[in-house]
Amino acid sequence: MTRLVIRGGQVWDPAGDVHAPAVRDVLVEGNRIAAVLPPGDPLTAQWISGTPEIIEAAGRLVMPGFVNAHFHSYDALVKGLLEDMPFDVWALHTQPAYYGKRSRAEIRARVLVGAIECLKNGITTVQDMNSLVPQDEETLDLTLAAFAEVGIRVVFSVALRDVAALDIAPFLAADLPDSVRALVEGTGRDAASDLAFVEAQLARVKLPSTQHWALSPSGPQRCSTELLEGLVDMARRHRLPITTHVLETPAQRAKAQRVYGAHGGSMVRYMAALGLLGPGTTLAHGVWLDEDEIGLIASHGAGLVHNPMSNLKLKNGVAPISRLKAAGVNLALGCDNCSCGDCQNMFQAMKLFCLLAAGSDGNPTGVVATDAIAAATLGGARALGIEAGAVTAGKRADLCLIDLSDIAWLPRNSVARQMVYSESGRGVETVIVDGRVVVRNRKLTTIDEAAFAAELGAVMENFRNDFAQVSRANAAAAPYLLAANRRVTQAKLGIEKYLKA
Ligand SMILES: [Zn+2]
């Protein structure tokens, strides 16, 4: 087994001094951390005499690699193309169903764009909740192959939905033209065949040690009971985590109040009744949760992935992070789609995690930098069921080294606070995934970056044309969706999730 010694860095330990972490040597054997030792330990000397690879880490912070617990690779090429639109209008431009089958080169390029940005920002694991259009083995294999090639850890799920129609459909005008109705309704799918497809992939695909399965209903409101129960059963049989979108938008809350009458109008109560709310389940977003639902998530041991960038950019409001923390819910962090957060950067997500909690209350909330770091590391690993997120013996060797000579760290008063409030990602120098160095001196070791930039350029000409065509074709629906959105935001939802200036 290959051996690696990361010598003399300050090693992040949430139970130690978070402002001035101790200097340690980290020994890696194969894909696991073998030991974390104080300088001068005889075991380190013994390893070094055996000529392992040595990374000199003096002046560096050795962090567990960040876990980006919510992401979608399918629309990564849309980065920077959209702004100032609410969720349902954004969806008109980005949903994979509007684009149909894409070229092999484009699928590879979009996976690599997202994954490379993750790695360069110190993210070693990404959860790709992938709508997989078309739902076929070729698209799945191309996607997983690109993740494997770049060397990032991926927890992959096929996002399933068998119920057509946008979440906001109940609030559309009654006199909606048929042409617009056809655009926003989409077509339903068959639960049994969707379940069979995923089950077949679990058996067929031989995953490398950097790849893992998860299961994803796209959202409870987008799935039949048959599909949700089938996924709960599959998760139990294969011991897989479930991650699903829950109460991301005000329209989803308004719709839940209408369709889950038997469960007090609560999507979360409905999930609990189906057995979908448990320790293996993580809810993405949860912006529009009420107190009762926060309590249910906590009492069932489920977790929540906070996605502050996309929540703000898509005008969905602010998730109740300080109350979720107070309830003891396992919190993770995600950067979500490149089409609505425009970056894969956990430093931005961690900063917003703290600042949004601060901006939601005139008094101390108890949400501090170490909470954001925990969500971005161990919380994400726990949510996705992977043995990572900490620099301790036995964990997967997923690490990132940050250069502490960068101006963000000068003067160095607190590693925890400066990581969250000062570092931008610029200091990320070395990234290790599963014991393999995938970024060295800020350069990928797995992919030729210049060649990839050229490949991407070649793909983008066609993609930009298709993006413009989808936007043109769906433009007629936008005014109706904006009117529906105004109806929703003026409706009585019982809670408020916007910061009022
Ligand atoms: Zn999402």
Side-chain angles (χ1 to χ4, degrees):
M1 262 196 287
T2 59
R3 283 181 162 184
L4 174 66
V5 175
I6 302 161
R7 185 157 65 180
Q10 284 182 267
V11 173
W12 177 252
D13 174 6
D17 185 340
V18 297
H19 304 297
V23 171
R24 294 283 181 262
D25 295 323
V26 181
L27 311 188
V28 173
E29 186 159 44
N31 62 9
R32 304 245 172 205
I33 297 169
V36 180
L37 302 168
D41 191 283
L43 183 59
T44 308
Q46 193 189 318
W47 271 48
I48 286 174
S49 68
T51 63
E53 179 175 358
I54 298 176
I55 295 176
E56 296 296 351
R60 272 76 180 169
L61 178 68
V62 181
M63 286 292 298
F66 295 109
V67 178
N68 182 359
H70 189 65
F71 169 70
H72 308 271
S73 68
Y74 58 74
D75 62 355
L77 302 182
V78 183
K79 186 193 289 180
L81 282 171
L82 299 168
E83 70 179 335
D84 200 26
M85 44 184 66
F87 178 92
D88 292 282
V89 177
W90 160 82
L92 285 179
H93 299 267
T94 55
Q95 285 314 289
Y98 294 128
Y99 288 82
K101 190 174 172 66
R102 313 307 298 168
S103 72
R104 297 171 66 92
E106 186 181 308
I107 292 169
R108 180 171 183 277
R110 73 192 189 188
V111 171
L112 291 182
V113 159
I116 291 171
E117 190 175 9
C118 284
L119 287 173
K120 292 223 162 187
N121 284 319
I123 294 166
T124 50
T125 295
V126 65
Q127 201 278 304
D128 185 15
M129 192 194 282
N130 199 307
S131 301
L132 216 62
V133 173
Q135 192 187 81
D136 63 18
E137 293 178 352
E138 184 190 19
T139 309
L140 175 67
D141 292 349
L142 284 168
T143 301
L144 290 177
F147 278 120
E149 184 182 350
V150 74
I152 199 169
R153 188 178 302 287
V154 62
V155 179
F156 188 88
S157 58
V158 182
L160 298 180
R161 63 174 300 168
D162 58 339
V163 175
L166 297 179
D167 300 333
I168 205 165
F171 308 94
L172 287 164
D175 60 348
L176 198 66
D178 285 345
S179 57
V180 171
R181 190 172 296 282
L183 276 179
V184 300
E185 278 196 344
T187 46
R189 297 179 56 89
D190 175 57
S193 65
D194 273 7
L195 289 166
F197 176 79
V198 174
E199 187 87 51
Q201 303 319 306
L202 300 182
R204 178 185 71 90
V205 180
K206 286 271 165 285
L207 294 179
S209 64
T210 51
Q211 302 196 337
H212 316 260
W213 290 113
L215 300 175
S216 287
S218 173
Q221 77 282 10
R222 301 170 191 157
C223 300
S224 64
T225 309
E226 179 192 355
L227 181 55
L228 292 174
E229 286 177 343
L231 286 168
V232 169
D233 174 59
M234 203 183 297
R236 212 171 278 146
R237 284 186 286 108
H238 294 277
R239 298 168 176 268
L240 294 176
I242 293 178
T243 166
T244 182
H245 296 112
V246 174
L247 297 174
E248 176 177 5
T249 73
Q252 289 166 13
R253 179 168 182 84
K255 184 173 183 178
Q257 288 172 334
R258 291 180 175 210
V259 300
Y260 302 124
H263 305 275
S266 164
M267 187 185 291
V268 178
R269 238 172 227 294
Y270 169 67
M271 290 172 70
L274 284 182
L276 180 57
L277 195 70
T281 297
T282 300
L283 289 61
H285 306 296
V287 175
W288 289 86
L289 293 167
D290 62 25
E291 286 299 328
D292 175 60
E293 291 169 321
I294 291 170
L296 275 173
I297 294 168
S299 65
H300 285 74
L304 184 129
V305 188
H306 180 38
N307 298 279
M309 279 95 83
S310 62
N311 290 164
L312 291 176
K313 190 139 179 274
L314 297 179
K315 303 172 182 298
N316 286 323
V318 177
I321 287 303
S322 56
R323 282 176 292 146
L324 285 157
K325 184 200 166 186
V329 172
N330 179 52
L331 294 172
L333 260 172
C335 300
D336 212 353
N337 311 62
C338 288
S339 66
C340 62
D342 304 82
C343 70
Q344 298 304 315
N345 186 321
M346 295 298 275
F347 298 99
Q348 291 194 15
M350 289 193 291
K351 187 163 184 171
L352 283 170
F353 180 103
C354 291
L355 294 187
L356 286 173
S360 304
D361 199 315
N363 295 299
T365 58
V367 174
V368 295
T370 47
D371 296 314
I373 298 166
T377 55
L378 210 47
R382 200 174 288 152
L384 300 177
I386 54 172
E387 295 171 286
V391 191
T392 49
K395 295 274 189 192
R396 297 292 187 114
D398 290 2
L399 303 163
C400 94
L401 274 63
I402 299 175
D403 176 9
L404 295 175
S405 69
D406 188 272
I407 194 67
W409 299 90
L410 302 177
R412 197 177 335 131
N413 293 317
S414 163
V415 160
R417 295 192 191 117
Q418 284 165 268
M419 187 163 12
V420 170
Y421 298 114
S422 314
E423 174 62 68
S424 60
R426 193 175 52 218
V428 173
E429 194 181 55
T430 304
V431 180
I432 297 162
V433 179
D434 217 42
R436 176 190 189 196
V437 179
V438 291
V439 175
R440 196 192 302 274
N441 295 327
R442 300 183 164 84
K443 288 260 173 276
L444 288 171
T445 63
T446 50
I447 299 258
D448 179 329
E449 294 180 43
F452 173 64
E455 240 182 75
L456 179 62
V459 159
M460 282 310 291
E461 190 179 338
N462 181 54
F463 179 77
R464 283 197 191 97
N465 285 337
D466 287 358
F467 174 83
Q469 200 183 324
V470 166
S471 296
R472 261 195 315 275
N474 291 352
Y480 295 94
L481 289 169
L482 286 169
N485 198 63
R486 272 192 294 276
R487 267 175 228 121
V488 170
T489 50
Q490 285 158 9
K492 287 205 185 332
L493 296 173
I495 45 177
E496 181 53 73
K497 299 292 181 178
Y498 294 103
L499 303 173
K500 295 293 179 196

